[in-house]
Amino acid sequence: MSLNKNSLFFLTIIIFCTNISISQETPTMEQDSMSMQKLDEVVLTGESKVMSLSKKLFAVGVIDQKDIAKVAGNNLADILNYNLNITVTPDPSTGRSTISMFGLDGQYVKVLIDGIPMASDNGMGNNIDITQINLEDVERIEIVEGSMGVLYGDNAVAGVINIVTKRGPDGVYKWQIQLSAQEESVGSEYALFDKGRHIQNAKVSYQISDRTSVSIGGSRNDYAGFFNDFQGQNYVNIQDNAVVNDSLRGMEWNPKEQLTAYGNFNTRIGKHNLFYKIQYYDESVPVYNSFVNGRVDSNTGMVNPTALDENFDTQRTINNLNLTGPLKGPTIYNLSLSHQKQKRYYKQFVYNILQQGIESIIADDLSQSSEIWYSKGFVSNLVPKSSFFNLQLGYEFNHQTGFDAIATGEYSSDVVENTLENYDFFGVADFNLTDKFSLFPGARFTNNSQFGNKLIWSLSSTYDISNTFKIKAVFGSAFRAPNFEELFFYFVDSNHNVQGNPDLDPEDGISLFLNIEEKFRLSETGMLKTALKSYYFDIDGKIASVIDVDEQDRNLFTFDNVDRSRILGFSLENSLIMNRWQASLGMTYMGESTQIDASEDNNNDYLWSFNLQSSLGYTIPSINTTLSAQLKYTGRTQIVQSSTNGNVVGQTDDFTWMDASARTNITKNLSLTLGARNLFDIVRVNATDSPSGTHGSGGTPSRLFGNGRSYYLKLLYNLNFN
């Protein structure tokens, strides 16, 4: 990892700016929001004042700037870990962290930036590595639960997560400068340059006029990895002029460095609003081989140890444009255009451990590439004069070209780019049958270049029993299209034969989501909100990895529509605000039934799990400080998996995760946040559904979830002026 000189630079800037603060007055801290799991009736970005159907249809959770600041969240993984119905699953070997929602993995959750799907390794908006989403430019995060396929296309089965960008300076000031530096240990490991996590952010916003604003910024997240019992890149065990391979070289959790740069332009032209966002992202992940080659130098007769290491570098550019305004009277239009590129470079090289440098490069290739052109437009409130009926109509277009993996070796051929296109048209009707009861039928016709025409449908309803007691239900398609990897992945050589299946069909089935919500006014400043949820997914033709035989009678690892999955769950969520206190308590009980091969007679009983989430916050106005703590219990989970002895039940043990923090305003412009993550020191959890164990564990199967109890400190300087 590179030396972290920027940390010292940013800290110096903050301390200097504090001394020249333009005001010594310290205002009273505002009341914090209820909790990060609160459910507010809001609409998605790009639909505000445009499409009120989302407000009526879906339960929408909002994580705002205060929630993010309380826990010093730098990326989306730092925040979503506390959500009751979302599970963050890290992969230490690749550095990726993906999510599952209501038991469905990241392929079934759509991630948007300002209403536009975000490019991932193999698709648009799905299976996103959420550690790659920086939060320094985020106004709020919206979490929409339930099937959203009609409005947001294939793969929005469990819900949608929408990242809303800040539009300009806060308040009435023309200029806003934000600088922050964050130092964080990784477990007990920390050094200013070589261990821990080191984060720097800078942003400048300018209000050009009352209609136009611009902002630019950048962020650096230097994660030095998690050593645990490993000894790092430059370790070698030499005894009697011979290398002893004790598997201690390398790291438990690979390091990575992430750089993000962005610019935003927001302007109002008459009654129309235009917003443009450009973003560049670069991530470098080195992988250190634990096996050391103990060759002897023929000139000196001394051992000259080397290792075959790797590096993965991901680069992404995003250009998003959104235009909204009135079409005629109260009829509103929304138009989004996007061009996104992503490339992943793979380098394999011989690393000389004693000389601490690259000796030779074995491979330096582009292993994944995608270019995406995207557009979405819709018109809302098409029948504004009717109190009984309304309508929204729209289209969505997606054109993706690229490839995944490089064909090399004896059976190789030149890399072949593939193209995937979608032409979608959708509509949602609004029938207000009474002043309390409404129905919203919707349908989306999708034409895909790979699997042809399909229909996605939904029927939603709302029943407002009173101003505080409301029921929402969503019944629709559980439609998921195969991603780019499942269709086109290609890695074939003398030792490998892994290929996608271009003949895959989309998964389909039904989804049902029910939300019953009641609000209780306890006092002038006290409010209790209770939400009872139930959900059911029945997915047929689920895509799974299978082993086949190719034309040369070799094992072919590919994908096919062979599984069936059913998920049934119940959740109870409560949030309370009372004077200076904020608290939440939620629990969920979920069962999953998996039939691994639809052609076989399997035991498909439900396997149940229990999760619990709680948070507590207290504001102390006299010292401008907020104290907060979050706790999440993840119960034992079980899955049916195939093995050489047939289908067996694999299990991951339960564990409890807890964080705590304190945030204070030192001056009007300077704030300090300090806290601890993973207070119960979780590293690995026993898991019989995991293929391998940890180093030094005697082969006991386990899964890595954390890197031990960590501590952090963040300084944020915010200067506003005209």
Side-chain angles (χ1 to χ4, degrees), residues 324-367:
T324 62
L327 194 63
K328 183 180 180 181
T331 301
I332 305 297
Y333 75 92
N334 186 305
L335 177 64
S336 296
L337 301 170
S338 177
H339 177 238
Q340 303 183 45
K341 277 187 174 183
Q342 176 168 303
K343 296 182 182 295
R344 184 175 62 240
Y345 295 91
Y346 170 74
K347 179 183 288 188
Q348 187 181 52
F349 54 91
V350 176
Y351 182 80
N352 192 302
I353 298 176
L354 296 183
Q355 296 179 9
Q356 299 185 12
I358 295 177
E359 188 171 285
S360 62
I361 296 176
I362 306 301
D364 191 359
D365 300 302
L366 177 64
S367 66

Side-chain angles (χ1 to χ4, degrees), residues 399-700:
H399 175 91
Q400 179 180 356
T401 58
F403 61 87
D404 191 356
I406 291 180
T408 59
E410 181 181 351
Y411 303 97
S412 71
S413 60
D414 292 337
V415 171
V416 177
E417 280 198 341
N418 291 282
T419 300
L420 199 60
E421 281 187 342
N422 262 70
Y423 298 88
D424 293 9
F425 299 93
F426 61 91
V428 179
D430 179 350
F431 292 96
N432 298 304
L433 303 181
T434 70
D435 58 349
K436 294 185 177 181
F437 181 62
S438 298
L439 287 175
F440 309 95
R444 172 183 285 246
F445 174 80
T446 177
N447 176 269
N448 183 277
S449 59
Q450 200 64 30
F451 51 78
N453 301 327
K454 297 292 180 180
L455 182 68
I456 304 174
W457 58 272
S458 69
L459 177 62
S460 305
S461 65
T462 62
Y463 183 34
D464 297 342
I465 298 175
S466 68
N467 289 334
T468 59
F469 189 19
K470 301 181 179 182
I471 301 175
K472 294 179 172 66
V474 183
F475 178 52
S477 301
F479 182 92
R480 182 179 87 82
N483 63 34
F484 210 78
E485 176 186 12
E486 292 165 336
L487 290 168
F488 303 124
F489 187 92
Y490 188 79
F491 185 77
V492 178
D493 61 18
S494 57
N495 300 312
H496 306 87
N497 189 6
V498 186
Q499 301 183 38
N501 180 2
D503 297 323
L504 285 173
D505 291 322
E507 300 175 4
D508 208 351
I510 59 171
S511 67
L512 177 63
F513 185 87
L514 177 67
N515 184 82
I516 303 173
E517 180 183 300
E518 174 73 290
K519 297 178 182 178
F520 303 92
R521 173 65 68 181
L522 304 179
S523 65
E524 289 186 2
T525 59
M527 173 73 75
L528 171 66
K529 180 152 58 175
T530 298
L532 176 64
K533 303 175 184 178
S534 179
Y535 48 92
Y536 175 74
F537 303 95
D538 189 339
I539 302 172
D540 200 12
K542 193 171 183 181
I543 299 170
S545 299
V546 298
I547 302 176
D548 204 346
V549 179
D550 65 10
E551 299 83 357
Q552 301 177 13
D553 291 328
R554 298 181 307 158
N555 282 339
L556 168 64
F557 297 87
T558 184
F559 303 91
D560 205 354
N561 301 91
V562 294
D563 289 356
R564 182 190 180 192
S565 178
R566 292 178 295 164
I567 295 175
L568 175 65
F570 308 91
S571 295
L572 178 63
E573 301 178 16
N574 302 277
S575 58
L576 171 70
I577 183 168
M578 180 67 73
N579 298 323
R580 301 174 185 174
W581 292 92
Q582 310 90 38
S584 69
L585 176 65
M587 56 198 75
T588 185
Y589 190 57
M590 187 188 75
E592 181 172 2
S593 170
T594 301
Q595 187 177 359
I596 286 184
D597 190 332
S599 64
E600 298 180 5
D601 184 17
N602 298 317
N603 182 0
N604 55 1
D605 293 338
Y606 282 94
L607 302 175
W608 295 90
S609 63
F610 174 78
N611 293 343
L612 182 144
Q613 173 275 332
S614 66
S615 67
L616 183 66
Y618 182 69
T619 301
I620 310 174
S622 59
I623 57 174
N624 304 300
T625 300
T626 296
L627 307 176
S628 61
Q630 301 81 26
L631 181 144
K632 187 174 183 180
Y633 168 77
T634 301
R636 181 191 67 174
T637 57
Q638 295 177 304
I639 62 170
V640 176
Q641 56 188 152
S642 58
S643 71
T644 55
N645 298 321
N647 297 329
V648 297
V649 176
Q651 174 178 301
T652 299
D653 287 353
D654 62 332
F655 64 95
T656 302
W657 190 284
M658 184 176 180
D659 296 350
S661 63
R663 185 174 189 271
T664 184
N665 287 343
I666 300 174
T667 70
K668 178 182 178 180
N669 303 102
L670 182 66
S671 66
L672 168 69
T673 306
L674 55 88
R677 307 190 201 275
N678 192 7
L679 284 170
F680 296 136
D681 204 22
I682 301 297
V683 177
R684 282 189 173 268
V685 176
N686 291 337
T688 58
D689 57 356
S690 180
S692 61
T694 180
H695 166 77
S697 66
T700 302

Side-chain angles (χ1 to χ4, degrees), residues 118-146:
M118 177 182 173
S120 66
D121 287 351
N122 295 293
M124 278 288 284
N126 296 101
N127 208 29
I128 299 293
D129 177 5
I130 59 174
T131 67
Q132 296 182 349
I133 302 177
N134 184 273
L135 300 182
E136 295 301 321
D137 189 37
V138 171
E139 177 73 26
R140 65 184 183 275
I141 302 164
E142 300 164 344
I143 303 173
V144 190
E145 300 172 336

